[in-house]
């Protein structure tokens, strides 16, 4: 197993630790979750760079890297639901879209085709990451300042900024999903 794939598997472990930290009532659990999410994001960048630069692209990496990315984002959105950061319907949109795209890629793979990530999908992922980081930073600041949620200075940022970011991220999630399905609709068309 090459280093790029090790980093990808490490990101999966970091995702599990992130879920544990964000779901816990530990002191500084939110701050730990933020650090783990940022670290996982760095491994995503570096595993791709290592694989491309040192020609370490493997079939295992092609399969597992996007799955771990999707698991990381789904876990983040789902874990932010009980903290009242992300509405449950928004987390469901993220998860359903990712299952749909993964399913289409599996269908394509069974037919000998590879469906690469599209630019719009990368923009969608970027906005999802920004949205998650926004809430994690605010949760961490609240935790570090040990201030009550009712009097904390970020209340307006939480609601108005959070709603705007959720709107952009979910809008792009839906649009990129519909566009991807439409662009590759022949995969799911009934065979005659």
């Amino acid at each position: 197993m090459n280093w790029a794939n090790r980093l990808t598997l490490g990101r999966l472990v970091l995702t599990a630790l992130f879920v544990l930290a964000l779901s816990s009532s530990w002191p500084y659990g939110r701050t730990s979750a933020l650090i783990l999410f940022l670290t996982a994001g760095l491994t995503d960048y570096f595993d791709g760079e290592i694989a491309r630069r040192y020609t370490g692209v493997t079939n295992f990496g092609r399969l597992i890297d996007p799955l771990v990315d999707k698991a990381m984002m789904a876990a983040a959105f789902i874990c932010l639901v009980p903290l009242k950061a992300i509405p449950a319907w928004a987390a469901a949109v993220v998860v359903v879209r990712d299952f749909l795209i993964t399913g289409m890629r599996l269908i394509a793979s069974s037919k000998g085709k590879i469906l690469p990530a599209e630019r719009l999908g990368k923009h969608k992922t970027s906005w999802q990451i920004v949205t998650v980081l926004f809430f994690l930073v605010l949760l961490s600041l609240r935790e570090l300042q040990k201030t009550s949620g009712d009097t904390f200075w970020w209340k307006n940022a939480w609601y108005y900024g959070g709603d705007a970011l959720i709107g952009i991220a979910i809008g792009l999630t839906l649009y990129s999903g519909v566009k991807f399905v439409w662009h590759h609709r022949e995969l799911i068309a009934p065979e005659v």
Side-chain angles (χ1 to χ4, degrees):
M1 181 173 295
N2 66 26
W3 277 103
N5 292 338
R6 287 182 183 138
L7 282 174
T8 299
L9 291 177
R11 187 162 68 258
L12 189 59
V13 171
L14 288 169
T15 298
L17 293 172
F18 163 80
V19 169
L20 187 63
L22 194 56
S23 302
S24 75
S25 57
W26 302 339
Y28 304 109
R30 309 301 189 250
T31 304
S32 299
L34 171 63
I35 293 166
L36 288 163
F37 190 82
L38 287 170
T39 305
L42 286 173
T43 67
D44 187 27
Y45 171 77
F46 285 117
D47 71 13
E49 282 297 308
I50 290 169
R52 284 184 292 278
R53 185 169 294 171
Y54 300 106
T55 62
V57 177
T58 64
N59 288 333
F60 176 78
R62 282 189 192 111
L63 172 70
I64 200 73
D65 185 66
L67 289 176
V68 171
D69 291 346
K70 289 177 184 354
M72 186 174 95
M73 289 312 303
F77 270 79
I78 291 168
C79 285
L80 286 169
V81 169
L83 298 173
K84 304 212 181 316
I86 304 285
W89 65 265
V93 166
V94 169
V95 172
V96 168
R97 185 252 186 221
D98 284 347
F99 272 116
L100 177 66
I101 301 307
T102 300
M104 290 192 68
R105 286 195 168 117
L106 289 172
I107 292 169
S109 177
S110 73
K111 296 179 179 185
K113 296 179 182 177
I114 294 175
L115 303 181
E118 296 178 352
R119 181 175 296 210
L120 186 58
K122 293 181 181 194
H123 287 299
K124 173 267 311 175
T125 302
S126 297
W127 279 100
Q128 287 178 351
I129 290 169
V130 166
T131 302
V132 169
L133 284 174
F134 173 82
F135 286 112
L136 290 176
V137 165
L138 289 179
L139 286 166
S140 177
L141 288 173
R142 179 180 181 191
E143 182 176 69
L144 292 172
Q145 292 187 356
K146 304 253 190 236
T147 306
S148 153
D150 294 333
T151 60
F152 196 59
W153 62 267
W154 53 265
K155 191 174 182 180
N156 286 336
W158 179 273
Y159 291 109
Y160 299 116
D163 285 349
L165 286 173
I166 290 167
I168 293 167
I170 297 305
L172 283 171
T173 298
L174 288 169
Y175 180 63
S176 67
V178 168
K179 185 176 178 199
F180 190 91
V181 169
W182 181 256
H183 188 248
H184 301 290
R185 64 190 176 279
E186 74 282 353
L187 291 171
I188 53 176
E191 295 183 22
V192 240

